[in-house]
Amino acid sequence: MLFKKIITAFVGQTDTNDGIDIRFGRYSDAHKTLEKYDSWARSTGFFEEKNYLQAYLEFFNYLLDDNESNLNYDTVQINKDGNVADFKIDFTLQQGSKIVRGFANSEEFVGEVKLVQVKGDLHVALGRRLMEMNYNLLYSGFSLDENGVIWIRFTTNTVDSFAGKLYNGLREIATRSDAQDDLLLNEFTNQLESIDDKHIEFLSEEHQQVKLRFLKKWIKEALDEIKKLNTERLASAISYMLLTLLYRIDYLLTPEGTITAILEDIHKVVFYDQNRLPVQRNDYAIKEFEKLLALSDKELVSNFYETKATFGISKPAYGQDIKEIIEKQLQAASWFDKNEQQEFTPFVFEYIAGYCLFNYGLPRPTKEFLHLYFQIICPDYFEALGANHTFSEKKENQIILQKNLVIKRIDFILETWEEMYPTITDKKTKIDYKDFTKFSFDYFSFVKELKITNQ
């Protein structure tokens, strides 16, 4: 048990980034360390004992991600006699482009975010939009102060401040403010301006330009290929092409702001808009990607910046969930392969990795194996970022695996996590490294059988 606590405190030790100092993919707070789960349990226990100071402190420790440095809190006032009923804790936590600030004391808990600054008077259309957004909030609400700052606030009495309520309330104001500030600024450009965003760290110009170049390259290549296809007969295949493009951009380029909003809109339409036929959903996605290409370099680059986060927006996935997803998509890949549509099979394999990383908070070993697959299929991108290793090379659109390096990385990931997950694999899986299609079938068959359990 002690070793498990130690290794989960150092989950950054697996060098999946190969010396590249940027984030990949969406932040997830699923599958926290054992020590963090212990803090949650202790917070609940202290709350039931009405020891609210310790309940708050354990809750904040639960939220703190040691790798992110996402949260600061300080007990700024306590009775000189040590009376735990007399205290005040100030805290700040980061969620993307926004900062949640607040305090907790023996009477109340308050968290709030400065969303945007209004220029002049509040226009009717903006007021209506805020009222619509307010209606969908469960724990918080929007407000406008005398200085024209739009806030989103969550407040509750300390006697009701159990860990679950605090988590959901803070998560709501943090994730909503991070998602809505850019959207409001883009929609009401002449009425609003950004506020409280000095903490954002922009990437180096070199990394910004690499991301810009590959964003435009990937979109153009995909759309050019799609234009050659029969949009009705091959609607399913085109959907795979568009979604793998979306997932690749989201995971490898980790955009923010306008780009992310467009990607999420495409995803929503393709998956959930039942009023459109598959061909129409594909056509919508194509037009949205064309809108991205039409944006200026300056507009696109402004979406590439580093942020810290406290709350993930993806639901956690466990072994059986992942297994079912992979099994279903391997069947789809097999169908394309056996029906003389082999050119679409690679999109299905990439879809597996991208879909899981986009939609779910994954156990760390699973995420590292899916990341490795992206390293294999996009060696030129990782090389442009300055990676220490490339695990394949492309020759005439064929992927040639660097077998020894891939095997070393697979073994390294397994060895890193086998103490934490003793039954992670029986290591009997055979992987074909000569043919990339066979490799992909074998590789995802291996990933779906990983046993991510502490038992």
Side-chain angles (χ1 to χ4, degrees):
M1 180 62 72
L2 177 60
F3 182 82
K4 291 178 181 179
K5 289 190 176 183
I6 292 173
I7 193 170
T8 54
F10 293 95
V11 291
Q13 65 180 297
T14 308
D15 185 19
T16 55
N17 283 6
D18 275 330
I20 303 171
D21 189 24
I22 60 173
R23 182 196 300 282
F24 291 96
R26 299 182 169 211
Y27 176 78
S28 172
D29 61 341
H31 308 288
K32 284 180 176 283
T33 67
L34 297 176
E35 188 270 333
K36 296 300 181 183
Y37 289 125
D38 287 344
S39 283
W40 181 279
R42 288 193 294 270
S43 178
T44 300
F46 283 127
F47 177 79
E48 292 173 351
E49 296 170 3
K50 298 184 179 180
N51 186 343
Y52 299 121
L53 170 61
Q54 291 301 319
Y56 282 136
L57 293 176
E58 291 290 354
F59 173 72
F60 286 129
N61 186 56
Y62 173 81
L63 289 185
L64 176 63
D65 186 325
D66 298 315
N67 292 322
E68 288 280 301
S69 299
N70 59 311
L71 171 69
N72 292 298
Y73 60 96
D74 186 27
T75 306
V76 297
Q77 177 185 331
I78 192 165
N79 185 283
K80 63 182 179 179
D81 297 323
N83 184 352
V84 295
D86 184 12
F87 67 88
K88 183 182 179 186
I89 305 172
D90 284 337
F91 71 90
T92 61
L93 65 85
Q94 293 189 39
Q95 182 72 28
S97 60
K98 305 311 294 181
I99 294 180
V100 178
R101 293 182 170 85
F103 66 87
N105 58 32
S106 59
E107 296 182 353
E108 63 180 335
F109 183 100
V110 176
E112 55 190 11
V113 183
K114 292 180 181 179
L115 188 64
V116 286
Q117 174 80 51
V118 178
K119 302 176 184 176
D121 296 328
L122 182 70
H123 288 243
V124 174
L126 176 56
R128 185 183 299 115
R129 174 58 54 83
L130 293 173
M131 289 180 63
E132 293 171 354
M133 292 163 56
N134 214 46
Y135 182 76
N136 293 317
L137 298 174
L138 298 176
Y139 297 90
S140 57
F142 291 100
S143 63
L144 176 69
D145 69 16
E146 65 276 10
N147 298 314
V149 177
I150 296 174
W151 297 74
I152 179 171
R153 286 189 174 95
F154 161 64
T155 64
T156 184
N157 295 327
T158 288
V159 293
D160 294 325
S161 296
F162 56 92
K165 184 177 184 180
L166 296 180
Y167 180 88
N168 289 325
L170 288 176
R171 184 182 187 277
E172 181 172 87
I173 64 173
T175 57
R176 290 297 181 92
S177 60
D178 181 40
Q180 292 297 329
D181 62 337
D182 287 325
L183 296 179
L184 289 173
L185 288 167
N186 286 332
E187 185 173 355
F188 300 98
T189 306
N190 297 323
Q191 302 172 36
L192 300 173
E193 60 186 3
S194 59
I195 189 173
D196 204 17
D197 58 359
K198 304 299 184 191
H199 62 287
I200 293 175
E201 299 178 9
F202 285 93
L203 299 173
S204 68
E205 184 176 353
E206 179 183 2
H207 280 165
Q208 284 183 332
Q209 291 302 314
V210 168
K211 289 192 173 190
L212 175 64
R213 174 159 58 92
F214 278 88
L215 172 70
K216 297 165 76 171
K217 175 179 182 290
W218 290 336
I219 295 176
K220 189 175 186 307
E221 287 176 348
L223 297 187
D224 286 347
E225 286 300 312
I226 289 171
K227 288 177 182 177
K228 302 174 185 177
L229 304 176
N230 184 312
T231 56
E232 294 190 7
R233 187 172 66 85
L234 296 173
S236 177
I238 291 172
S239 293
Y240 272 111
M241 295 174 72
L242 290 167
L243 287 169
T244 55
L245 171 63
L246 185 155
Y247 296 144
R248 180 186 291 195
I249 292 170
D250 184 83
Y251 182 73
L252 294 182
L253 304 185
T254 56
E256 302 282 348
T258 302
I259 297 178
T260 294
I262 290 175
L263 295 181
E264 290 182 345
D265 186 48
I266 293 172
H267 196 264
K268 182 178 179 180
V269 168
V270 172
F271 269 94
Y272 302 112
D273 190 344
Q274 298 303 313
N275 294 321
R276 307 184 203 218
L277 296 171
V279 173
Q280 295 172 319
R281 295 197 289 267
N282 289 342
D283 186 56
Y284 179 86
I286 290 168
K287 286 186 169 74
E288 291 300 299
F289 278 120
E290 289 174 339
K291 284 183 184 178
L292 274 180
L293 278 182
L295 294 175
S296 68
D297 288 358
K298 182 179 180 181
E299 290 173 305
L300 292 171
V301 165
S302 67
N303 293 274
F304 297 130
Y305 53 84
E306 286 284 351
T307 60
K308 297 177 181 179
T310 303
F311 303 97
I313 60 175
S314 303
K315 61 182 179 181
Y318 299 91
Q320 189 59 33
D321 304 314
I322 298 164
K323 184 174 183 177
E324 291 175 359
I325 292 167
I326 295 178
E327 284 179 344
K328 180 179 179 180
Q329 296 308 321
L330 288 180
Q331 292 174 8
S334 180
W335 187 92
F336 281 118
D337 202 46
K338 293 176 180 177
N339 285 272
E340 298 184 356
Q341 295 185 28
Q342 294 89 345
E343 66 269 30
F344 302 117
T345 307
F347 294 102
V348 182
F349 292 130
E350 184 176 346
Y351 174 92
I352 294 173
Y355 177 88
C356 290
L357 290 163
F358 183 90
N359 288 285
Y360 297 102
L362 301 171
R364 185 62 183 271
T366 304
K367 184 175 181 180
E368 290 182 3
F369 280 118
L370 298 182
H371 179 84
L372 174 57
Y373 194 76
F374 271 112
Q375 289 175 300
I376 291 170
I377 62 176
C378 300
D380 50 346
Y381 176 66
F382 285 92
E383 186 175 18
L385 289 175
N388 295 329
H389 306 93
T390 53
F391 295 88
S392 68
E393 58 179 317
K394 288 186 176 180
K395 291 184 177 179
E396 299 178 355
N397 293 325
Q398 297 295 315
I399 295 179
I400 310 300
L401 291 163
Q402 302 287 350
K403 178 180 176 180
N404 290 337
L405 287 176
V406 175
I407 291 174
K408 279 185 177 181
R409 180 50 56 86
I410 291 173
D411 288 344
F412 181 70
I413 296 172
L414 290 175
E415 289 168 7
T416 299
W417 295 102
E418 64 184 357
E419 291 281 354
M420 180 70 185
Y421 306 106
T423 61
I424 187 170
T425 179
D426 57 15
K427 296 189 176 181
K428 293 180 181 178
T429 303
K430 301 294 183 182
I431 297 179
D432 188 318
Y433 289 89
K434 294 181 180 179
D435 178 87
F436 189 69
T437 297
K438 291 179 179 177
F439 166 82
S440 297
F441 273 113
D442 291 345
Y443 187 80
F444 284 108
S445 295
F446 159 74
V447 172
K448 79 180 176 69
E449 296 299 335
L450 293 174
K451 296 177 177 60
I452 312 296
T453 174
N454 299 117
Q455 303 300 319

